[in-house]
Amino acid sequence: MTNFKNDILDQPRQLKKTLAYHSAGNFAEFRRAAAIINIAENILIVGIGASYNAGLAVAHAFNKQGVFATVSDASEFELLPAMPARAAAIFL
């Protein structure tokens, strides 16, 4: 079986593991990420493949709320100019 197929077949177990972790009240990572995003003036969303496509919807949601957000393909991230001050990156 390929790694790709193994990853797909393992998704239900990983989702259960994630839900169990967060249902136990382990939200500190989300709170820290939310705090960073709340003060960011610009958001860069980085993804590839399906994550890139999901990033388009995420950027749209931010832009609709008046927060400038743009999407970059992960393969091009290192070619981007320096991040501006008060910017945050979300890697999907």
Side-chain angles (χ1 to χ4, degrees):
M1 192 174 327
T2 66
N3 286 338
F4 182 68
K5 187 174 180 182
N6 285 337
D7 288 345
I8 292 170
L9 294 174
D10 195 40
Q11 285 180 356
R13 186 185 70 77
Q14 289 294 336
L15 180 58
K16 287 178 187 174
K17 183 177 168 184
T18 300
L19 291 172
Y21 177 80
H22 291 295
S23 66
N26 298 307
F27 289 100
E29 298 93 349
F30 288 117
R31 286 188 198 99
R32 282 195 301 271
I36 291 168
I37 290 169
N38 278 332
I39 63 170
E41 295 174 359
N42 301 292
I43 307 286
L44 173 63
I45 300 158
V46 182
I48 195 162
S51 296
Y52 178 88
N53 288 327
L56 294 171
V58 173
H60 176 72
F62 276 115
N63 288 319
K64 214 170 160 186
Q65 296 299 314
V67 178
F68 177 76
T70 190
V71 183
S72 174
D73 191 276
S75 65
E76 299 173 5
F77 178 72
E78 70 178 51
L79 304 175
L80 294 174
M83 293 278 290
R86 299 186 57 89
I90 299 171
F91 291 82
L92 301 179

